[in-house]
Amino acid sequence: MMFGLFKKKSEVEKLQNQYEILMADWHKLSTINRTESDKKYAEAQLISDKIDNLKNN
């Protein structure tokens, strides 16, 4: 169990974390600033595509 603390995150795990943060930001901005919200969503979609490519290769 202790060794799991020092395990490096895989590229997919890092991207998934980024995706979750962007989607949370998108949700917050969706009621305040539609333009910024759309930008966050577009960024999240790009990361989602990268995750899919990594998983399929």
Side-chain angles (χ1 to χ4, degrees):
M1 289 299 270
M2 290 294 291
F3 296 111
L5 294 174
F6 302 107
K7 180 182 158 227
K8 289 191 175 211
K9 286 187 175 182
S10 71
E11 190 65 24
V12 171
E13 288 172 321
K14 289 178 189 176
L15 289 172
Q16 284 174 329
N17 191 30
Q18 279 183 299
Y19 177 80
E20 290 171 13
I21 292 168
L22 285 169
M23 290 304 285
D25 289 346
W26 164 73
H27 191 296
K28 287 178 205 165
L29 288 168
S30 65
T31 58
I32 302 167
N33 185 333
R34 186 61 193 230
T35 304
E36 288 300 314
S37 169
D38 290 346
K39 286 180 188 175
K40 292 290 182 182
Y41 189 79
E43 286 180 54
Q45 286 308 113
L46 290 173
I47 290 177
S48 178
D49 292 343
K50 287 180 185 178
I51 290 169
D52 290 341
N53 286 338
L54 286 172
K55 284 184 175 180
N56 291 330
N57 288 336

